[in-house]
Amino acid sequence: QVQVVESGGGLVQAGGSLRLSCAASGRTFNTYAMGWFRQAPGKEREFVVGINWSGASISYADSVQGRFTISRDNAKNTVYLPMNSLPPEDTAIYYCAARPGLLRPGVLTGPNEYDYWGQGTQVTVSS
């Protein structure tokens, strides 16, 4: 079982920044596809960003492209998500997900493509 833990959420003023982190257990983190999804109240869970096993392939949702910059440090089993210029529309619970052992060059964008999920971290952007 892979444990996935998000951190870094909180309350921020519109236009501000936060940096989310996602730590995943395991000795083969460098084979994990990783992704972030978010869910706002009353809405479906939506794709935010994904990164492949090596970090060479990244895909962003249109709504966050240019403002969020995902990266991974395989030596630390951690994915980072700095988020800039946050509008209130970014308010949601943000979930980190992992798919181990998939050495695919592309990015996984569907929630059903991931096997392990964190508990979520709340991001609230005030107007």
Side-chain angles (χ1 to χ4, degrees), residues 23-37:
S25 67
R27 289 180 270 104
T28 58
F29 181 78
N30 62 350
T31 75
Y32 297 7
M34 302 294 295
W36 286 94
F37 295 77

Side-chain angles (χ1 to χ4, degrees), residues 60-75:
Y60 295 95
D62 290 343
S63 59
V64 305
Q65 193 164 31
R67 300 187 297 110
F68 293 10
T69 51
I70 193 171
S71 65
R72 67 188 297 158
D73 186 340
N74 286 347

Side-chain angles (χ1 to χ4, degrees), residues 29-51:
F29 181 78
N30 62 350
T31 75
Y32 297 7
M34 302 294 295
W36 286 94
F37 295 77
R38 67 186 182 187
Q39 189 164 20
K43 295 188 176 181
E44 298 294 317
R45 186 170 300 189
E46 66 174 349
F47 171 78
V48 177
V49 60
I51 187 168

Side-chain angles (χ1 to χ4, degrees), residues 2-3 8 15 19 32 35 54-55 60 62-63 74-75 79 87 92 94-95 99 101 109 111 127:
V2 173
Q3 308 298 318
R19 188 182 77 158
Y32 297 7
S54 69
Y60 295 95
D62 290 343
S63 59
N74 286 347
V79 172
Y94 284 69
Y95 297 93
R99 169 71 185 276
T109 61
S127 60

